Amino acid sequence: MKKLLCLILSLVLLTACNGGSEEYRADLQSVADEMLENAAKAEEILDQYTTVWDHSIKSRGAIPIQEMSDLTGLDRDTIEEYFTINAAGNIPEDFSTNIHSLNAYYEGIGQIEEIKNASDAIKNKMAELNDPPLEYEKVYDEVLDMYNYSEEYVEMALNPTGSLQSFTEAKNELSSEIVSKYKRIEVIMPSE
């Protein structure tokens, strides 16, 4: 009877431990997926910033509203609502003003808030996962690195700064690091 009781207790403990590991694995994969998705949303914004920034510098003069509309894919009314329009009915070539106008647009339509909220949720999930089972320690370290890169990336969408060159270089480097970490996570994640 004692042997049977010990065997049942062992099976219960083993099942509980494996169930916890499987749940941890699912949560870890889920948070990595959420980071990748949030980074993709930020990337759309970052790509628009670099396009408008580059065009504003190269235009060497006021930009017609229709030209900005064609460049960004935003309709004329949206351009007129969010961008500074001079007395001649054009957008000044000031890249800083144009980037901030584009940022205001993304705030106005709720994309900045959506990215911030997702970032906060990811942060909370990362805090919950900070005590990984032994077999997930390496994966957790990779997910933590990915988290740091994705937070920097998201911050660039929230607050674009620097020169066009430094901004573009940082954007490209962080994007590459995020994708690289995600692929590494997929490779080293213990099997189900």
Side-chain angles (χ1 to χ4, degrees):
M1 183 71 174
K2 279 187 176 182
K3 287 183 182 181
L4 184 57
L5 188 56
C6 286
L7 181 61
I8 291 172
L9 185 57
S10 295
L11 287 173
V12 168
L13 289 174
L14 185 61
T15 303
C17 289
N18 285 342
S21 290
E22 288 174 19
E23 183 179 332
Y24 187 87
R25 180 191 190 288
D27 290 346
L28 202 57
Q29 184 64 55
S30 174
V31 79
D33 292 344
E34 289 173 27
M35 280 187 266
L36 191 63
E37 184 179 321
N38 204 38
K41 289 176 184 174
E43 186 169 48
E44 291 175 25
I45 294 171
L46 296 174
D47 288 344
Q48 279 281 52
Y49 289 161
T50 56
T51 299
V52 168
W53 202 330
D54 182 59
H55 188 75
S56 296
I57 291 170
K58 289 180 179 174
S59 69
R60 301 197 186 278
I63 304 165
I65 293 172
Q66 188 59 50
E67 188 176 315
M68 185 62 78
S69 178
D70 293 343
L71 181 71
T72 61
L74 302 175
D75 63 44
R76 184 179 184 88
D77 291 341
T78 302
I79 297 290
E80 290 174 351
E81 180 179 349
Y82 288 99
F83 283 75
T84 301
I85 309 294
N86 64 20
N90 295 312
I91 300 165
E93 77 275 12
D94 179 34
F95 66 85
S96 180
T97 301
N98 293 340
I99 296 303
H100 290 335
S101 296
L102 198 53
N103 182 266
Y105 163 73
Y106 286 116
E107 281 187 25
I109 64 169
Q111 279 189 295
I112 296 290
E113 177 98 15
E114 184 181 324
I115 290 171
K116 280 183 191 176
N117 290 342
S119 184
D120 289 344
I122 290 166
K123 180 181 178 182
N124 291 336
K125 289 179 182 179
M126 287 299 295
E128 292 171 8
L129 296 170
N130 73 2
D131 189 19
L134 185 60
E135 68 267 27
Y136 289 97
E137 286 179 355
K138 288 181 183 177
V139 181
Y140 176 79
D141 290 343
E142 294 295 328
V143 172
L144 186 58
D145 286 344
M146 183 181 174
Y147 171 77
N148 291 329
Y149 292 132
S150 66
E151 283 300 298
E152 284 182 59
Y153 202 60
V154 164
E155 183 57 34
M156 290 178 70
L158 304 180
N159 186 25
T161 59
S163 68
L164 175 59
Q165 182 177 349
S166 68
F167 184 85
T168 302
E169 286 172 1
K171 176 179 83 74
N172 292 340
E173 183 179 320
L174 287 169
S175 176
S176 178
E177 289 291 349
I178 291 165
V179 170
S180 176
K181 286 294 176 185
Y182 187 82
K183 287 179 178 179
R184 182 160 166 75
I185 290 162
E186 286 184 318
V187 169
I188 67 171
M189 182 73 78
S191 301
E192 290 183 58

